Amino acid sequence: MTEASRQFDFEGRIARDEKIEPNDWMPSRYRRQLVRMISQHAHSEVVGMLPEGNWITRAPSLRRKISLLAKVQDEAGHGLYLYGAAETLGAEREDLINRLLGGDARYSSIFNYPSVTWGDVGVIGWLVDQAAMVNQTMLTKCSYGPYARAMIQICKEENFHKRQGMEIMAVLSAGTSAQRAMAQDALDRWWWPTLMMFGPPDEESPHSSELIGWKVKMKSNDELRQWFVDLAVPQAEALDLQIPDPELVRDSKTGHWISGPINWDEFRSILEGEGPCNRERIESRRESHFGGAWVREAARAYEEKCRKKKALERESL
Ligand code: BYC
């Protein structure tokens, strides 16, 4: 087959909603785009453990501690599925991680904000995991098989995360005046950064049209952001909390909630590494990675020992 006929065949498979699998032919740019997106996603899961991990030792009860521990462990698992999905495209996990530790890789802007109160743990579950789920629900239908399948499992877990976050918020908002104030303050600080998670506005998103054409992204950044706002506004009302957007208004014709302007300068400065916690996040990852080198060495030594033992057993047969 010529390059042109392979390309034609590939485009036909995308048009018929067939999944592309690791050993199938794919354009090199499709492969590169997927490695970029999946690796950024994997890094986001792993760095995303840090804001909530900060509260494991200070959770207000044993029950809260158990569910927070489980949630943070789930995020580590999501990172593993996603590094695995990137490897199916020929990427080397070690390279990807080294780029993150070297400060050269992107991960979600949202994790560069500090988690200063227990209310932040509630809001992260309620809003950040819900935003992730809105985005990832569409990715379950994406054209690359391993990514789509990883998303199905991840979305199930994100749903539990969202519920535990909403439950924390419901308890705080029905609590003492100090607890209510804590819940509102957390919402005030995390609302706008959560809207930024969906990426730049469509007209400033360089990758969207290509990715939508290949059915990697199934909806644009603005479409997903709108879907999220429409879900979150009635939830905030049910929690008796105020969305910190004085311009938020419901369009009576479409039924959509229309937000005021997003501060894209803040988003850009985070992408340039100037957010409140960018340096701290990479430093924490570096500490964990280099501090954990002995675990990797021990695992490799054990693997080698098992390999030698098996070889000896085979020889003695
Ligand atoms: N933060 O053309 P665009 C979680 C970058 S974690 C940082 O729109 P694309 C969780 C973008 O990478 C779930 N960078 O790009 C974990 C690109 O830069 P490069 C995280 C961003 O790819 C723990 C440039 O801006 N979810 O759930 O079409 C605890 C232009 O953007 C961001 C995912 O990763 C951002 N927010 O669309 C709790 C979902 N937005 O590469 C929860 C998978 C954009 O040209 N990813 N940029 O240097 C996606 O859906 C898409 O990649 C994005 C961006 C919507 C994020």
Side-chain angles (χ1 to χ4, degrees), residues 72-84:
V72 172
Q73 280 181 347
D74 284 350
E75 309 299 357
H78 299 173
L80 290 179
Y81 304 151
L82 288 162
Y83 286 124

Side-chain angles (χ1 to χ4, degrees), residues 177-220:
S177 58
Q179 286 172 318
R180 280 191 53 75
M182 182 190 279
Q184 183 63 53
D185 166 64
L187 174 56
D188 292 348
R189 285 179 293 104
W190 289 84
W191 175 253
W192 293 105
T194 305
L195 297 193
M196 294 174 199
M197 268 179 87
F198 293 92
D202 291 352
E203 61 279 11
E204 290 168 30
S205 161
H207 301 295
S208 278
S209 63
E210 187 173 53
L211 291 174
I212 290 173
W214 278 328
K215 297 186 183 166
V216 172
K217 278 168 92 162
M218 307 299 285
K219 297 255 182 225
S220 76

Side-chain angles (χ1 to χ4, degrees), residues 288-305:
S288 303
H289 187 79
F290 297 120
W294 67 272
V295 179
R296 291 188 294 281
E297 273 166 33
R300 270 194 292 269
Y302 182 71
E303 197 182 14
E304 180 61 12
K305 187 180 148 197

Side-chain angles (χ1 to χ4, degrees), residues 239-254:
L239 290 168
D240 200 16
L241 295 171
Q242 195 73 33
I243 301 277
D245 177 357
E247 294 180 41
L248 185 70
V249 45
R250 188 158 186 268
D251 180 326
S252 57
K253 284 202 193 93
T254 62

